[in-house]
Amino acid sequence: TARQAKLTGEERAREAAKAEAMRAQIDDTRRAGMEKILRRVLSRIGHAAFDAWYERMADARNKRALCRKILLRVQARGLAVAFDGWVSGMKKMQRDNYVVGKAL
């Protein structure tokens, strides 16, 4: 360009250095932006993994509590007898339903 033709060698070198500095600054800005985006993505992935793990642990804890509750009920003597009676009643009802189904 006409402006570059008027510049001396030293001025051209200064202009080239300024242009290089601007390119480096732009590259640094882009890199920082990409790093920020990458941190957000990794953070979301980490949160999702932690949430899934926490859900599994909470579910397992609830299942253990339920099993503990059931075992305590079955172990209780009076409830065990009632449970056995219920099971016998259910078996009789199933047998009766089968017989009625065959008869019809």
Side-chain angles (χ1 to χ4, degrees):
T1 64
R3 182 171 184 265
Q4 286 178 339
K6 294 179 183 178
L7 295 177
T8 64
E10 188 178 302
E11 290 171 333
R12 280 192 197 122
R14 245 184 284 151
E15 289 291 321
K18 283 182 189 178
E20 184 58 36
M22 287 178 69
R23 277 193 290 275
Q25 184 178 9
I26 290 170
D27 288 344
D28 290 345
T29 303
R30 285 183 183 157
R31 186 176 298 115
M34 291 302 292
E35 288 174 354
K36 186 175 181 180
I37 291 169
L38 183 60
R39 277 194 306 272
R40 285 182 182 172
V41 168
L42 293 176
S43 177
R44 285 182 188 162
I45 291 170
H47 287 297
F50 178 77
D51 288 345
W53 172 82
Y54 184 79
E55 246 181 72
R56 285 194 309 273
M57 292 300 107
D59 189 42
R61 182 180 54 230
N62 291 339
K63 287 178 181 177
R64 281 193 303 272
L66 181 62
C67 286
R68 199 174 300 119
K69 183 178 177 181
I70 290 169
L71 287 174
L72 287 174
R73 285 184 179 179
V74 169
Q75 288 173 347
R77 193 168 186 84
L79 290 176
V81 171
F83 181 74
D84 286 340
W86 177 78
V87 169
S88 297
M90 292 303 293
K91 286 181 181 177
K92 183 180 180 312
M93 186 177 72
Q94 286 176 344
R95 221 178 13 256
D96 292 347
N97 287 341
Y98 177 76
V99 170
V100 169
K102 285 289 188 177
L104 296 178

